[in-house]
């Protein structure tokens, strides 16, 4: 890029004599370089400042530079300027290819139709490239009939035309038809394969996607990206990470930003921090630009893996930030229980002139929930609508009901539910039920359970909660009846699952899991821990186990919760003093929370658990949540 600025300076200081070199020619070259270097704005500067009479090549170079860098609106507005400027050269097939691509990018049907009229007017309709772009455009805006008609009228069809058809069928949701076109193609290139893989992945058919991926005669980074993104989008995070580890070993394959953007969410979900850090180093070593997508994905990974300081470092290094970037930091701070910092980040966001979104307010409300700040929560809840015109969604109501319920304001919570403009869902009622349990309000609890079972007759959580309320009040008969009803309906709880990353591999544990190769060692570690913990005064919270079993069995059930297995595995497989990081899919239970506090003290380790709603930093027998979660 520096070299380019030098040439540009020369162009300004010593304009070439008009007869010998055409300034257009040099400008076209420079614009092309800017386009390839992802610097379309600079290309626009060269165009406006160095060309008094831009020719068609210059116009097309600029349009291409815009389109190449997804600057769709700029592409279209430059095209409109070109059309209305007196003596500007008329558009040709290259002009249209870029402009149609921009219309597809924006999925703007109206604009696309307008451009299509110009295509006809300037006689470019029979050009193959223009025609291919038009087919693609009509598929993207959902006008499949016109797309087909244009494809059928194509006189010469190349591999690009066929690829457009394959991608079009995938877009319209007819993957089988796409496959039959794909199978019938005389010639296929890498794009054909990747399109088909992405098509399968989009509709969750990962088996067929993988089969194609394995069958491909050769693969480039786009094919790998399609498969990794497919896994990540379908929540097969472990597979996404596995495939990424394979790509690292491929010689001659250059990992690009798309690859990283695809795999980072998988790292975030699994808590695979080592891999995430490797990616961060890779970005820095290769001097990759921290664009909006990559920056957001990296910051989000750090925030979700419990490294809020690193998340903030990435955020601060990003040249361009959008509302998603701010939301990542605010939500991250909230998840860590840093409520006041989340609030000040929100103020900072407003000072930067950024408009908050509904997700911003979810973050703020979550922060209030974890800190038990009811009045602040109410303030933000009302601010949404009154100041920013954002109508609260059901999630916001759920969060506020949760906040009110946790702090014992059950009446207000119930009133809020009845004032909701939408039908409350199981989560909203569930939040109130949680409050009923904590504050032993059996009467209200029964009422709430009725609402929940109306919505979802198989809702296991409500039976468990109700049974727990009865049990803790000593109404053991009612508790037993409740459990019986649950068994009659054959309700299964969502299995608790915990993940831990050791040596770049993610290990998964379910409750009572015996499948891990080191199972024996893990269980003997647990037994050892429990005897030490009991000496330290730990008592298992067996009243939470609702099964009709004796005390010893209850203790066993508790000691094999997935998070305890993961902790035990972490202890035997990492060196002394290493921080243990665990991710759990559900809320960490009271007993595990107590147990891990004690364990952190006994083994002198920091243990970080991310559960469904927040982070717990266990250290020296205490947790950062102060037992409020
Ligand atoms: Zn547990
Ligand atoms: Zn905690």
């Amino acid at each position: 890029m520096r070299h380019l600025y030098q040439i540009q300076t020369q162009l300004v200081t010593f304009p070439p004599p008009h007869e010998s070199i055409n300034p257009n020619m040099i400008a076209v070259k420079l614009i092309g370089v800017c386009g390839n270097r992802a610097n379309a704005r600079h290309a626009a500067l060269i165009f406006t400042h160095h060309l008094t009479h831009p020719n068609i090549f210059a116009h097309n170079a600029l349009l291409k530079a815009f389109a190449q860098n997804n600057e769709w609106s700029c592409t279209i507005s430059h095209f409109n300027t070109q059309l209305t400027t007196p003596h500007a050269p008329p558009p040709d097939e290259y002009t249209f290819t870029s402009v149609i691509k921009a219309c597809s990018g924006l999925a703007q049907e109206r604009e696309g139709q307008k451009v299509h009229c110009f295509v006809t007017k300037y006689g470019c309709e029979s050009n193959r490239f223009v025609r291919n772009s038009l087919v693609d455009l009509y598929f993207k805006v959902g006008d499949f009939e016109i797309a087909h008609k244009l494809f059928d009228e194509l006189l010469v069809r190349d591999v690009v035309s066929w690829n457009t058809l394959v991608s079009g069928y995938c877009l319209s949701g007819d993957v089988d038809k796409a496959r039959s076109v794909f199978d019938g193609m005389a010639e296929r290139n890498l794009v054909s394969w990747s399109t088909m893989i992405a098509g399968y992945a989009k509709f969750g058919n990962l088996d067929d996607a993988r089969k194609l991926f394995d069958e491909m005669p050769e693969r480039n980074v786009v094919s790998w990206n399609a498969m990794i993104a497919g896994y990540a989008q379908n929540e097969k995070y472990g597979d996404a990470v596995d495939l990424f580890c394979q790509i690292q070993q491929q010689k001659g394959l250059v990992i690009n930003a798309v690859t990283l953007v695809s795999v980072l969410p998988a790292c975030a979900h699994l808590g695979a921090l080592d891999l995430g850090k490797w990616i961060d180093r890779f970005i820095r070593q290769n001097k990759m630009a921290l664009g909006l997508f990559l920056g957001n994905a990296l910051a989000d990974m750090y925030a979700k893996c419990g490294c809020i300081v690193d998340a903030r470092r990435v955020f601060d290094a990003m040249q361009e930030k959008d509302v998603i970037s701010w939301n990542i930091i605010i939500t991250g701070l909230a998840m860590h229980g840093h409520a006041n910092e989340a609030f000040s980040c929100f103020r900072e966001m407003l000072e930067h002139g950024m408009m908050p979104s509904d997700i911003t307010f979810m973050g703020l409300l979550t922060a209030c929930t974890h800190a038990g700040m009811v009045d602040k929560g109410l303030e933000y809840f009302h601010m949404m609508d009154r100041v920013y015109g954002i109508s609260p969604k059901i999630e916001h109501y759920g969060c506020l009901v949760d906040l009110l319920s946790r702090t014992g304001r059950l009446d207000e919570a119930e009133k809020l539910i009845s004032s909701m403009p939408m039908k409350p869902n199981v989560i909203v009622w569930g939040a109130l039920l949680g409050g009923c349990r904590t504050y032993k309000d059996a009467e209200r609890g029964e009422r709430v359970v009725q609402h929940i079972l109306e919505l979802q007759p198989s809702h296991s959580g409500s039976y468990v909660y109700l049974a727990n309320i009865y049990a803790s009040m000593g109404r053991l008969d009612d508790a037993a009846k409740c459990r019986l009803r649950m068994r009659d309906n054959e309700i299964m709880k969502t299995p608790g699952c915990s993940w831990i990353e050791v040596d770049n591999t993610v290990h998964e544990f379910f409750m009572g899991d015996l499948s891990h190769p080191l199972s024996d060692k893990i269980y003997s570690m647990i037994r050892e821990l429990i005897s030490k913990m009991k000496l330290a005064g730990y008592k298992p919270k067996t009243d939470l186990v609702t099964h009709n079993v004796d005390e010893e069995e209850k203790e066993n059930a508790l000691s094999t919760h997935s998070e305890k297995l993961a902790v035990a595995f972490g202890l035997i497989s990492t060196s002394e003093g290493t921080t243990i990081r665990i991710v759990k899919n559900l809320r960490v239970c009271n007993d595990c929370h107590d147990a891990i506090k004690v364990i952190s003290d006994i083994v002198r380790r920091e243990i970080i658990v991310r559960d469904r709603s927040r982070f717990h930093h266990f250290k020296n027998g205490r947790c950062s949540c102060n037992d409020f979660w």
Side-chain angles (χ1 to χ4, degrees):
M1 214 59 201
R2 205 177 55 209
H3 196 62
L4 185 137
Y5 291 133
Q6 281 170 1
I7 303 177
Q8 196 195 343
T9 319
Q10 281 200 347
L11 196 68
V12 183
T13 342
F14 312 107
H18 251 277
E19 306 79 44
S20 59
I21 309 170
N22 183 343
N24 267 302
M25 213 173 74
I26 303 170
V28 168
K29 283 256 158 62
L30 288 176
I31 290 171
V33 173
C34 290
N36 291 333
R37 296 280 175 86
N39 200 343
R41 304 221 164 152
H42 199 80
L45 279 180
I46 295 174
F47 185 91
T48 13
H49 292 302
H50 297 303
L51 294 171
T52 33
H53 301 291
N55 62 12
I56 186 65
F57 300 109
H59 278 286
N60 287 346
L62 182 61
L63 287 169
K64 188 179 166 195
F66 280 143
Q68 235 175 343
N69 292 291
N70 302 350
E71 301 271 6
W72 309 129
S73 312
C74 296
T75 319
I76 292 171
S77 79
H78 181 83
F79 173 68
N80 288 328
T81 321
Q82 184 186 345
L83 285 179
T84 47
T85 308
H87 310 300
D92 65 6
E93 58 266 32
Y94 294 100
T95 321
F96 286 122
T97 313
S98 298
V99 178
I100 298 169
K101 193 177 163 200
C103 296
S104 308
L106 290 171
Q108 286 222 351
E109 192 173 12
R110 271 274 195 76
E111 200 63 44
Q113 285 165 340
K114 229 170 76 190
V115 175
H116 191 173
C117 290
F118 284 116
V119 168
T120 320
K121 183 177 162 193
Y122 288 96
C124 294
E125 212 179 11
S126 57
N127 178 280
R128 192 163 35 128
F129 301 105
V130 174
R131 185 60 77 113
N132 283 342
S133 319
L134 280 173
V135 174
D136 179 54
L137 166 72
Y138 281 105
F139 270 123
K140 288 231 167 83
V141 298
D143 209 332
F144 304 135
E145 236 170 86
I146 300 187
H148 279 288
K149 194 170 152 276
L150 287 171
F151 180 83
D152 290 339
E153 287 169 9
L154 263 170
L155 297 177
V156 187
R157 292 169 194 164
D158 58 7
V159 66
V160 179
S161 332
W162 288 104
N163 285 346
T164 311
L165 194 63
V166 171
S167 121
Y169 278 127
C170 288
L171 271 176
S172 61
D174 198 342
V175 186
D176 292 337
K177 204 141 184 198
R179 180 61 192 258
S180 72
V181 174
F182 175 84
D183 285 338
M185 282 167 73
E187 181 202 346
R188 292 178 207 145
N189 60 11
L190 281 163
V191 178
S192 334
W193 289 85
S194 302
T195 308
M196 202 56 236
I197 290 171
Y200 275 131
K202 188 177 170 209
F203 293 95
N205 186 350
L206 292 170
D207 290 341
D208 282 325
R210 184 58 193 252
K211 233 191 254 162
L212 276 186
F213 180 78
D214 291 335
E215 277 170 22
M216 283 181 80
E218 56 167 334
R219 304 185 193 107
N220 65 358
V221 70
V222 180
S223 359
W224 284 85
N225 290 351
M227 198 62 229
I228 293 174
Y231 279 133
Q233 283 153 11
N234 289 282
E235 299 179 11
K236 302 274 183 218
Y237 302 117
D239 292 321
V241 167
D242 280 349
L243 204 59
F244 182 77
C245 292
Q246 285 179 40
I247 201 176
Q248 288 171 295
Q249 272 126 46
Q250 302 292 314
K251 287 203 180 77
L253 207 70
V254 183
I255 295 174
N256 61 21
V258 180
T259 327
L260 303 180
V261 169
S262 308
V263 77
L264 278 167
C267 297
H269 276 272
L270 297 169
L273 180 60
D274 288 342
L275 184 57
K277 280 184 175 163
W278 183 91
I279 292 174
D280 190 8
R281 278 197 301 277
F282 182 88
I283 292 170
R284 276 182 280 171
Q285 277 161 7
N286 292 283
K287 300 198 169 49
M288 289 168 79
L290 212 50
L292 202 49
F293 291 112
L294 188 55
N296 282 347
L298 189 63
D300 190 46
M301 182 279 298
Y302 272 127
K304 293 220 170 94
C305 285
C307 307
I308 194 73
V309 177
D310 288 291
R312 183 70 206 217
R313 169 177 57 77
V314 173
F315 174 84
D316 288 335
M318 286 168 67
Q319 294 275 324
E320 192 188 342
K321 299 175 181 84
D322 62 1
V323 62
I324 297 173
S325 331
W326 287 94
N327 288 346
I328 288 167
I329 300 297
I330 292 174
T331 310
L333 287 166
M335 294 264 295
H336 284 79
H338 302 319
N340 286 320
E341 283 151 64
F343 303 154
S344 74
C345 190
F346 175 63
R347 281 192 296 273
E348 220 182 302
M349 173 183 185
L350 298 179
E351 280 160 18
H352 279 80
M354 191 65 74
M355 269 295 279
S357 71
D358 57 320
I359 296 170
T360 319
F361 284 99
M362 257 325 271
L364 294 168
L365 288 174
T366 310
C368 297
T369 309
H370 293 327
M373 301 166 97
V374 191
D375 295 323
K376 196 83 185 160
L378 285 165
E379 185 190 320
Y380 281 128
F381 184 80
H382 294 305
M383 186 194 287
M384 275 180 86
D385 195 14
R386 288 180 198 160
V387 182
Y388 297 101
I390 305 170
S391 325
K393 290 186 177 167
I394 195 155
E395 293 87 352
H396 300 95
Y397 280 99
C399 211
L400 196 60
V401 169
D402 189 29
L403 180 53
L404 290 165
S405 305
R406 279 162 189 268
T407 41
R409 289 159 74 163
L410 302 181
D411 249 347
E412 267 175 86
E414 204 172 354
K415 278 201 192 102
L416 180 68
I417 295 181
S418 50
S419 78
M420 282 170 63
M422 66 288 272
K423 198 173 153 60
N425 63 10
V426 172
I427 297 170
V428 175
W429 286 116
L432 179 56
L433 190 59
C436 295
R437 194 186 101 187
T438 313
Y439 295 95
K440 299 202 182 2
D441 189 340
E443 195 193 320
R444 200 189 306 267
E446 274 177 278
R447 195 157 65 231
V448 174
V449 165
Q450 290 311 321
H451 283 293
I452 294 179
L453 295 179
E454 249 168 55
L455 290 168
Q456 193 181 323
S458 64
H459 189 263
S460 60
S462 58
Y463 289 102
V464 176
Y465 270 113
L466 197 57
N468 281 335
I469 295 178
Y470 289 139
S472 63
M473 293 171 72
R475 289 166 62 179
L476 298 178
D477 277 356
D478 287 330
K481 265 186 222 149
C482 205
R483 288 194 292 269
L484 270 177
R485 267 178 76 193
M486 181 163 133
R487 199 169 302 166
D488 289 347
N489 291 343
E490 283 182 28
I491 291 161
M492 293 294 289
K493 289 202 251 176
T494 315
C497 181
S498 298
W499 296 277
I500 177 170
E501 184 197 42
V502 172
D503 293 334
N504 288 318
T505 310
V506 176
H507 300 259
E508 185 178 64
F509 293 96
F510 288 96
M511 177 175 156
D513 206 337
L514 292 165
S515 62
H516 197 276
L518 295 178
S519 226
D520 288 347
K521 283 190 180 161
I522 293 171
Y523 280 90
S524 70
M525 184 68 190
I526 288 184
R527 279 191 296 275
E528 190 189 320
L529 281 173
I530 286 182
S531 60
K532 282 188 189 162
M533 282 152 66
K534 282 187 174 165
L535 286 176
Y538 155 81
K539 283 194 193 68
K541 281 200 164 54
T542 48
D543 62 325
L544 289 171
V545 184
T546 49
H547 307 289
N548 205 2
V549 290
D550 62 30
E551 285 298 311
E552 197 186 310
E553 250 182 279
K554 279 184 184 175
E555 273 191 44
N556 275 337
L558 278 176
S559 66
T560 59
H561 276 185
S562 64
E563 54 269 54
K564 290 200 187 86
L565 296 178
V567 168
F569 174 69
L571 287 173
I572 59 174
S573 49
T574 58
S575 53
E576 234 167 84
T578 315
T579 300
I580 294 178
R581 294 168 189 277
I582 288 164
V583 175
K584 190 183 180 198
N585 63 339
L586 306 176
R587 184 177 176 275
V588 57
C589 84
N590 283 336
D591 179 66
C592 287
H593 196 268
D594 271 3
I596 299 173
K597 279 201 289 191
V598 184
I599 293 173
S600 74
D601 199 31
I602 295 175
V603 300
R604 298 261 143 222
R605 295 237 210 165
E606 217 178 314
I607 302 173
I608 301 175
V609 179
R610 180 182 98 199
D611 72 1
R612 199 179 51 192
S613 65
R614 65 164 295 147
F615 278 93
H616 302 267
H617 289 247
F618 297 95
K619 200 180 173 182
N620 301 332
R622 295 173 51 88
C623 180
S624 62
C625 74
N626 289 320
D627 301 332
F628 194 91
W629 82 99

